[in-house]
Amino acid sequence: MAQSDNEGNDVTDQDVAAEQDEQKTETVVAVDTRVRVHPDTDNEVHGVVVEDFGDSAGYSVDIGEKHIANAARRWAVMLDSGTLEFVDSDDLVPE
């Protein structure tokens, strides 16, 4: 059965599931939370969330045909190695 969002646009079951996953991550991840970054991959690392960019994340910058910058990431994580990494919600889970 087709669903609609608040603006009347059609929403698929995959869209709904992705939104629920995003909300689940956001409710348990916050600044000062220990997290696994890129969980269950060969690149998995651990660290602590140090910044939540919230609504300001996610917009790339293009002027005319010129691409200026990629979209910003939602979270800044200080890895246990001392490196700062910027990631999206789907790239991390709480420990």
Side-chain angles (χ1 to χ4, degrees):
M1 174 181 239
Q3 299 179 23
S4 297
D5 63 11
N6 293 339
E7 298 172 2
N9 300 315
D10 288 337
V11 178
T12 67
D13 290 339
Q14 288 177 324
D15 293 333
V16 171
E19 180 66 22
Q20 289 171 342
D21 287 345
E22 178 82 12
Q23 289 172 353
K24 187 185 314 177
T25 299
E26 290 176 16
T27 59
V28 294
V29 174
V31 173
D32 295 328
T33 301
R34 283 205 51 84
V35 293
R36 297 181 332 174
V37 180
H38 310 296
D40 303 322
T41 69
D42 292 338
N43 298 323
E44 181 174 320
V45 289
H46 298 249
V48 176
V49 175
V50 294
E51 185 64 65
D52 176 2
F53 296 102
D55 292 334
S56 64
Y59 299 100
S60 62
V61 178
D62 296 298
I63 299 177
E65 296 292 319
K66 183 159 177 80
H67 179 70
I68 305 297
N70 291 331
R73 304 291 184 227
R74 168 75 190 258
W75 306 97
V77 179
M78 180 59 70
L79 302 178
D80 292 345
S81 66
T83 303
L84 184 63
E85 185 163 342
F86 298 91
V87 295
D88 291 318
S89 296
D90 59 347
D91 294 324
L92 54 81
V93 295
E95 282 189 348

